Amino acid sequence: MKIGAGQQFLILGATSPMARYTAYELAKRGCALLLAGRSPSEVEAVARDVHIRYGVPAQPRTFDARDFASHPALIEETVSQLGHLDGVFLFFGEQGDQAKAQHSFEEARAIVEVNFLGAVSLLTLVANHLEERRSGVIVGVSSVAGDRGRRTNYVYGSSKGALSLFLQGLRNRLSLSNVQVVTVKPGYVDTAMTYGVVTSRLVASPQRVARGIVRSVEKGRDVVYLPWFWQWIMLVIRLIPERVFKRLNL
Amino acid sequence: MRAVRKRLSGWGRFPVEEAWVYRPDSLEDVRELLPGGNLTLRGLGRSYGDASLNKDGNVADLTRLDRFLDFDGETGRLTCEGGVSLAEVLEVFVPRGWFLPVTPGTKFVTVAGAIASDVHGKNHHNASSLSRHVESMALLLASGETVLCSRESLPDLFWATAGGMGLTGIIAQATFRLRRIETSFLHYKAVRARDLDHMLETLEQYDPHYDYSVAWIDGLAGGKDLGKGVVLLGSHAPLAELPTQQRRSPLPVLARRRLSVSRPPPFSVVNRMTIRLLNTSYRFTHRPREALVGYDGFFYPLDGVGAWNRLYGSGGFLQHQSVFPLQASRETLVRLLEMVVKSRHASSLVILKKFGPQEGLLSFPMPGYTVAMDFPVYSAPFLALVSAMDELVAQSGGRVYLAKDACLSRERFQAMYPRWKEWLAAKERYDPRGAFTSSMARRLGLAP
Ligand SMILES: Cc1cc2nc3c(=O)[nH]c(=O)nc-3n(C[C@H](O)[C@H](O)[C@H](O)COP(=O)(O)OP(=O)(O)OC[C@H]3O[C@@H](n4cnc5c(N)ncnc54)[C@H](O)[C@@H]3O)c2cc1C
Ligand SMILES: NC(=O)c1ccc[n+]([C@@H]2O[C@H](COP(=O)([O-])OP(=O)(O)OC[C@H]3O[C@@H](n4cnc5c(N)ncnc54)[C@H](OP(=O)(O)O)[C@@H]3O)[C@@H](O)[C@H]2O)c1
């Protein structure tokens, strides 16, 4: 889809650095933005920042991905206020604590509710709106962690894997109505999620990933690994036979 | 929030110390660090010495708190978070006809870091330091409380924070005034000076007529040539001065990044021979002339080479910057330059500038002449030279710039900054537990 002046996008999880830099990329192209996040003061700051830098309309919204009952009102108000949406970029996510999730169902549930159910709830609402309009784009930020279950983060991984499958099905459905669905699978990104955990040289800046996300939309991509080399790394990882993989400590 | 054990240094790459480095994403995150204390604040790490280091303690990298929060297009009043870099301010506001009221010689510093050092620029003679243009600051104190300070409300905190080296609280937000420009070009003039007297005369003569002035001195020239060099002058060019075809886009952002030094060589490539070459080429490239130049090359000549500090090798380097009162200036300058010429330690870069009036408790500038010298090698005899220079500066009634310092002793610091007691009283009031500290603060007796 071509991205340009006058389009209006909803960004969910706007306080994530990847989301903020994606907002910059969209604002540079003249798009109006609704920036939604959990903390009122933080989304307010992000909205002011985007507006001051690029002069586009940028408004803050608060929501909680786990508060499913509040989602219909959020999307309805957004649509009635703006008239329509040209798309949504979903960034929110919860890494959680794998060790804790092995003993506490509450922890596991929180991870799944944010990453999967929260996304299902919100994206379904936006999908129905876009389907009716017969245009637009849905971008879901999943993860390479969703490509294969690993002992160190399979609760998070499985919630992202479920999100990837959900986006795949949604793409299949919405292809009939000219709505683009992009599954973004970042590798390591230099944010709070990886700081102090991953020291790999492969860690990418959130700016780089943001540029990749918007370019993928413009190029009409379906599934995209960011940075690109993760496509090859994950190809190899997916090819390892399960009987070998289960013994690996990855 | 997680911490990473890292080896940190300032821009001079000396000293290098390990610390636990946190990188908060929000003020809420920062608040988590307060109860633990032993905390040093860090921006882009462009101070030269140990101001943003904390040996084996905690360091908060505040560069992710970098959002613009308010801008008044009528008055140029900008409010932003402390981690916004000056480079970003320029990128966003130069195209709209606004410029920094005061800028240091690199744009890769944070707004908060610049306030904490109360930085000066080539316009100090008419604009004073950055604090003059700051209207207010929102500070997160050690108690976890956020307060607004300005000249009117909590003035003691305002003046202890501007130039206070990050030891009073976290500069969460700052409100300051940008200055209007018609174009992003400068009317530039270079004038040669034969010797020190000619140099001082030239600065006196031109300062009232130019927004910006600074002089470069050939640090290897002694005897009758002592103090010879070039005076660089500049003023923001009005629209009418641009050639017609440039007038249609008079406000380009002119940031260049050409090369970068990726790894330090095992020894300093800056030595007597390369310094001689450097000085010769400098004289050559700064021939007396007048021209229109872009702001980036004028203000940030060194930003074009990334990580140029690595050229000094793994030993690091030191910039010694001092200022002395007007009446003592000439004599002190002569003694200081002679001291360096006679020592075997060539200074690769000697910069001279005349300062104007200045407020503040720990702010560096004072009316008089300031001189900055870069020295490559670190060794015991070199440190003795620095100590001798510090002593000379102290005796003249002058002082050394903390943002560049790594060596000053507590006694000399107290002699140089006579208002330190007032500052310490404010520190006691706002940070009684001494939660904010740094390797520099301990060295100078500013924090436990
Ligand atoms: C090439 C070069 C040229 C320079 N030219 C000049 C010049 O012309 N004039 C001049 O005045 N200076 C000059 N400097 C020095 C530089 O401007 C200062 O050292 C400045 O403070 C660096 O800012 P920073 O963001 O890198 O801060 P850091 O170096 O990371 O920290 C500097 C100080 O600020 C404090 N600090 C950082 N963030 C905060 C915060 N959020 N709240 C409270 N305190 C905080 C730190 O604790 C520390 O004491 C130059 C430096 C370089 C490398
Ligand atoms: N960093 C990586 O290496 C990496 C790799 C692959 C995929 N990803 C994915 O990329 C996305 C962005 O992550 P990031 O790296 O930028 O990390 P981040 O800074 O931790 O961002 C996570 C975002 O999710 C929001 N969020 C969490 N729970 C929420 C809830 N219940 N309701 C609403 N919002 C909620 C957070 O809001 P608050 O600010 O209010 O906490 C924050 O904006 C995530 O989906 C993540 O899974 C990251």
Side-chain angles (χ1 to χ4, degrees), chain A residues 17 20-21 42 45-46 48-49 52-54 190-197 206, chain B residues 2 4 6 21-23 25-27 64 66-71 88 92-93 96:
Chain A
R20 174 145 70 103
Y21 292 115
E42 290 297 305
V46 174
R48 282 165 168 264
D49 177 63
I52 291 170
R53 285 176 194 255
Y54 299 101
D190 187 13
T191 69
M193 240 179 225
T194 54
Y195 184 82
V197 187
Chain B
R2 283 180 294 257
V4 179
K6 274 190 193 164
V21 184
Y22 294 84
R23 193 183 63 190
D25 277 305
S26 67
L27 221 47
R64 294 246 163 162
D66 63 343
R67 294 168 298 200
F68 291 107
L69 297 173
D70 201 26
F71 182 65
E88 282 180 290
V92 172
F93 293 102
R96 301 182 205 176

Side-chain angles (χ1 to χ4, degrees), chain A residues 32-54:
Chain A
L33 301 173
L34 264 176
L35 300 151
R38 217 169 12 174
S39 151
S41 58
E42 290 297 305
V43 273
E44 168 82 27
V46 174
R48 282 165 168 264
D49 177 63
V50 172
H51 175 67
I52 291 170
R53 285 176 194 255
Y54 299 101

Side-chain angles (χ1 to χ4, degrees), chain A residues 1-9 30-33 84 86:
Chain A
M1 186 175 113
K2 202 173 147 27
I3 294 182
Q7 288 176 336
Q8 322 187 99
F9 294 102
C31 305
L33 301 173
H84 76 275
D86 292 289

